[in-house]
Amino acid sequence: MELIDLHTHTTASDGSLQPAELVRAAAAAGLKALAVTDHDTIDGLAEALAAQPAEGLEVVAGVEISVQGGPTGSMHMLGLLVDHTHAGLVEGLERLKRARAERNPKIVEKFNQLGISMTMAEVEAFAGGELVGRPHFAQVLLKRGIVRDRGEAFARYLGNGAPAYVSKFRFSPAEGMSMILAAGGVPVLAHPGMLKLSEPDLERLVRELMQNGLQGIEAFYSEHDQPTRRALASLAGRLGLVISGGTDFHGQPKPDIRLGVGKGDLRVPPSVLAGLKQRREVMLAPRREALPCS
């Protein structure tokens, strides 16, 4: 079965592979398409697109934007098939980058107040000079043996409400999706099963997001079991949304998740990308019709 993976991360955010390395790994795994969807940044896309082989693998430009909402106050919105050079998208993501830069020293200060000595330079070393986020703080804790894994780092220190947590600026869902739409991309609610909402509450949320431009939901995801995948695909069908799917591959930070197959049972067929492309064409048609004739 031919497979694709439309949710992956590189060193541009919190993955362990450089963008070109990720593309080579996807090609070696026999994937037909790979979407690079780093957190709140498109900095790795130029390198990833340049590394696309002449045949066999299609590299899809994407991004994963944190927005307000959900039971914890934060949700993730995937933008797939975006124009990563679009000025509005670039400007909006730069604002998020500045917000992270303001937040990170405050997290360092909280750790020091907790008696865990830490410097910003130490955290930045794990980011390799790229975007710094909470997963890099988790790597510091893991290296020192303070926690056993990333999950414990977030539960004890970095998650919402934990002792070292610092809130950050997030766009509203409407603002985040507007950025994606303006860049010609398809807004997709990432891993909705992880929101831990009841089926009626999730449907209510999805319907609200649709009013602001939501076009799809990520039905296939490493942490979604088979019943959840089926339920989300059914929800998408009822509401006229497209479905997407990916592993959320990070490399070393999530060693149990492999490209294309997640924890071993994920299967995202190329038809999913075809559906996203078809939806994008429908979305862009009014813009093309509005262009003046030459």
Side-chain angles (χ1 to χ4, degrees):
M1 178 179 179
E2 293 184 340
L3 299 177
I4 64 174
D5 195 335
L6 301 181
H7 188 162
T8 68
H9 298 275
T10 76
T11 52
S13 61
D14 57 345
S16 63
L17 297 183
Q18 296 284 340
E21 291 177 322
L22 178 65
V23 171
R24 289 194 292 270
L31 297 186
K32 293 303 177 182
L34 170 81
V36 177
T37 55
D38 280 309
H39 294 287
D40 297 337
T41 183
I42 49 176
D43 288 352
L45 286 178
E47 179 183 330
L49 291 166
Q52 178 176 276
E55 58 182 26
L57 174 70
E58 177 182 357
V59 177
V60 176
V63 65
E64 185 175 13
I65 301 176
S66 297
V67 298
Q68 301 165 7
T72 65
S74 175
M75 304 182 295
H76 291 176
M77 195 67 62
L78 289 167
L80 297 171
L81 299 163
V82 297
D83 172 6
H84 68 290
T85 67
H86 186 271
L89 181 62
V90 172
E91 181 180 345
L93 295 177
E94 282 298 318
R95 184 176 180 187
L96 292 180
K97 186 182 293 187
R98 291 193 297 270
R100 282 179 184 266
E102 294 168 1
R103 175 200 205 189
N104 290 329
K106 296 176 183 177
I107 298 178
V108 169
E109 183 179 354
K110 285 211 168 189
F111 273 115
N112 286 317
Q113 291 172 351
L114 290 169
I116 300 174
S117 178
M118 192 177 294
T119 67
M120 198 64 232
E122 183 180 11
V123 181
E124 289 171 346
F126 282 96
E130 302 288 351
L131 193 72
V132 176
R134 285 182 294 165
H136 301 116
F137 288 90
Q139 286 179 270
V140 173
L141 299 175
L142 186 60
K143 180 183 179 183
R144 293 192 189 173
I146 297 173
V147 297
R148 291 166 297 179
D149 53 38
R150 184 164 119 158
E152 184 182 355
F154 274 78
R156 287 179 56 188
Y157 297 104
L158 293 162
N160 191 356
Y165 177 79
V166 176
S167 62
K168 69 168 184 176
F169 167 80
R170 292 181 176 87
F171 288 112
S172 69
E175 290 170 325
M177 287 189 285
S178 177
M179 289 163 49
I180 293 167
L181 290 165
V186 182
V188 172
L189 179 62
H191 39 68
M194 303 305 291
L195 295 174
K196 305 300 182 184
L197 293 171
S198 66
E199 288 189 17
D201 285 344
L202 178 60
E203 180 166 343
R204 190 175 302 113
L205 171 64
V206 170
R207 287 183 180 275
E208 290 173 359
L209 293 172
M210 288 174 65
Q211 295 177 14
N212 291 303
L214 184 73
Q215 298 294 319
I217 56 178
E218 189 176 39
F220 303 107
Y221 181 72
S222 291
E223 303 296 337
H224 290 168
D225 58 20
Q226 291 290 352
T228 299
R229 294 170 191 171
R230 287 194 293 269
L232 290 171
S234 175
L235 175 63
R238 290 201 312 275
L239 300 184
L241 297 171
V242 292
I243 61 172
S244 186
T247 60
D248 202 4
F249 176 85
H250 283 67
Q252 191 54 45
K254 294 186 176 182
D256 56 338
I257 293 178
R258 296 181 293 134
L259 273 173
V261 296
K263 295 181 178 181
D265 67 340
L266 191 66
R267 298 291 184 272
V268 184
S271 59
V272 168
L273 179 56
L276 287 159
K277 288 181 175 180
Q278 185 177 30
R279 178 59 62 94
R280 183 176 186 268
E281 286 301 308
V282 172
M283 291 162 51
L284 293 179
R287 299 189 200 180
R288 296 193 180 105
E289 292 171 1
L291 291 175
C293 298
S294 56

